[in-house]
Amino acid sequence: MSSNLAVNPYLVIGVIEIALALIVGCHALLYKRDVRSSTFWILLILFVPWLGMLLYFLFGVNRIQREAPRLSGTVNACPEPGGVSGMDQLLPPPADCWQFDVLENGDAAYPRMLEAIANSNTEVILSTYIFANDRAGAEFIAYLKAACERGVAVFVLLDGVGIWYSFPPVTWALKKARVPHSVFLPTFAPWSTRFMNLRNHRKLLVVDRHQVFLGGMNIREAHMHSLQPKSPITDVHFHLTGELVATLVDQFTKAWKFANRGRSVTPHPVERVEQTERMSKAPTAIRTRVIEDGPDLAVPRLAALLLVKLSEAKSHIRIVVPYFLPDRVYISALTTAALRGVRIDVIVPRKNNLPWMSWALHATAWQLLEHGVRIFETIGEFDHSKIFVVDNSCAIVGSSNWDARSFRLNFELNLEVASPDVIRRLNTLIDRKLAGAHELTCQDVNGRSLPCQIRDGLARLFLPVL
């Protein structure tokens, strides 16, 4: 007696779907350190299984923490218990700077950067997130091309997403000009598709191992207010010289080797200016510390340092940032500091190039406003500046925002500065931003229409990946 038992294909697909969802969900449960991030991914996988699993594979798995140390030849380790403090193990030792200039917008920064490239003798290192193929980008390409023709070793590192902010991408123009360049995690390369959610957000220019430019400014004509772009961007960059150059070149070398699948940058030794000569130009040393961050590190450095600074604050904290989406840990740290009597001023742009970032902020702002944290929205053009000042004793500047992307997903580069003069200049800049800014109140947040509240609440759900 025989029986014909037909296998139901829908049942098989359902079993496979459930099995895969369990495997992927367990991976998110075990390896996503942030509770909200793991909850977000698990719910997405459960309620939209196939799409959720695909998105998790593309955006949720941090494969770079294993891949980057192997390709760049570095060792990534957690701080050892006991002995030297954890923060001292995470961060390089402070270094002296002899010059530290605050440059507002491309109108001040770009001419100084181009002048440094024009006067270069041995080497130009450039890393940026956005290098637009526009009027500003064309000028940089011309100067880089001229440096190459003089025999200067030029290395340009671009992000695989940042190059698509203009079309055709700037890589076409760089290739035509024969400027050596490399793309960090190109979005359409088969080997880097796995890392498409992890971007190189650093902005760095090092000339002849002597002059350094870093901050939050990309290379695009929108930063040049004198060109009267349709959508101008306000930003700040920094020009410095000092002993931190070696750390910055080492950081760039690791990123270049990773982008080139392990091939070294092969920079030749560059004779440095003697310390006595630098000190004669600027007798007062400025203490600085490089804060290199990225998803390849076991412990997020900037995120840990910010918590330390928030807990140490005695009188005031000033935060200028375009994307301010602190998670529960930082909301607790900020509100605790405010309850201790620390004045906290957060300055964000009212006009944001990514509107959903403002939506998500409005959905979370009440948690800060109710405890005395003050939030100001600047009026006018989009402000991309990133400044953090504590008690006139410490400032942190660079490329990082206050969001999950900067703290966990992006490769970022920041600088801790302990200089009364530099902090005074930064506070003067912040005072100008506050003049005319609108202070956000609980009434503003609670008085939004119901559709806006729903929209903002939905945006807040994506905080772990914004």
Side-chain angles (χ1 to χ4, degrees), residues 279-326:
M279 292 184 68
S280 66
K281 296 180 180 178
T284 304
I286 299 171
R287 299 296 282 173
T288 59
R289 191 200 304 257
V290 176
I291 309 169
E292 172 195 355
D293 231 332
D296 58 325
L297 301 175
V299 179
R301 293 172 177 172
L302 178 65
L305 180 61
L306 289 177
L307 288 176
V308 171
K309 297 301 179 184
L310 292 174
S311 66
E312 292 176 346
K314 295 180 175 60
S315 61
H316 70 264
I317 295 169
R318 310 183 94 180
I319 303 170
V320 181
V321 69
Y323 313 129
F324 182 70
L325 299 175

Side-chain angles (χ1 to χ4, degrees), residues 38-227:
S38 61
T39 302
F40 169 83
W41 285 114
I42 289 172
L43 290 176
L44 187 64
I45 292 165
L46 289 177
F47 287 101
V48 196
W50 292 111
L51 178 61
M53 287 185 283
L54 175 62
L55 292 175
Y56 183 75
F57 176 81
L58 292 176
F59 301 110
V61 181
N62 184 3
R63 303 175 185 84
I64 213 162
Q65 197 170 68
R66 178 180 66 253
E67 191 87 354
R70 180 180 66 82
L71 293 176
S72 61
T74 60
V75 177
N76 181 15
C78 294
E80 295 293 335
V84 182
S85 69
M87 286 308 304
D88 288 335
Q89 291 187 59
L90 283 175
L91 301 175
D96 286 339
C97 283
W98 314 114
Q99 178 181 359
F100 198 105
D101 299 325
V102 180
L103 308 174
E104 295 183 53
N105 300 323
D107 303 272
Y110 291 170
R112 295 278 289 274
M113 296 168 72
L114 294 172
E115 180 185 12
I117 296 172
N119 295 327
S120 61
N121 296 312
T122 52
E123 182 185 70
V124 173
I125 286 173
L126 174 62
S127 177
T128 186
Y129 176 63
I130 299 174
F131 193 143
N133 192 4
D134 57 15
R135 289 176 288 180
E139 195 167 10
F140 271 88
I141 292 172
Y143 277 73
L144 292 168
K145 178 182 179 181
C148 291
E149 292 172 347
R150 294 196 312 272
V152 176
V154 175
F155 304 94
V156 178
L157 183 60
L158 309 171
D159 182 75
V161 169
I163 62 173
W164 293 104
Y165 275 70
S166 60
F167 188 85
V170 75
T171 48
W172 294 16
L174 288 168
K175 185 176 181 180
K176 183 178 180 180
R178 298 186 178 180
V179 175
H181 62 279
S182 186
V183 178
F184 191 92
L185 299 178
T187 52
F188 301 115
W191 77 274
S192 66
T193 304
R194 303 169 296 162
F195 311 118
M196 64 192 318
N197 198 35
L198 310 174
R199 310 316 319 166
N200 185 4
H201 197 239
R202 296 166 179 167
K203 292 92 176 176
L204 173 68
L205 172 66
V206 182
V207 178
D208 292 345
R209 305 287 178 98
H210 175 54
Q211 296 192 70
V212 174
F213 296 84
L214 59 78
M217 201 177 302
N218 296 292
I219 298 176
R220 60 194 312 193
E221 65 181 47
H223 291 293
M224 295 286 292
H225 291 207
S226 59
L227 295 179

Side-chain angles (χ1 to χ4, degrees), residues 3-12:
S3 61
N4 295 323
L5 296 177
V7 177
N8 189 331
Y10 298 104
L11 177 63
V12 174

Side-chain angles (χ1 to χ4, degrees), residues 370-381:
E370 287 187 346
H371 293 90
V373 177
R374 304 178 70 184
I375 301 177
F376 296 86
E377 294 180 325
T378 57
I379 310 301
E381 63 265 9

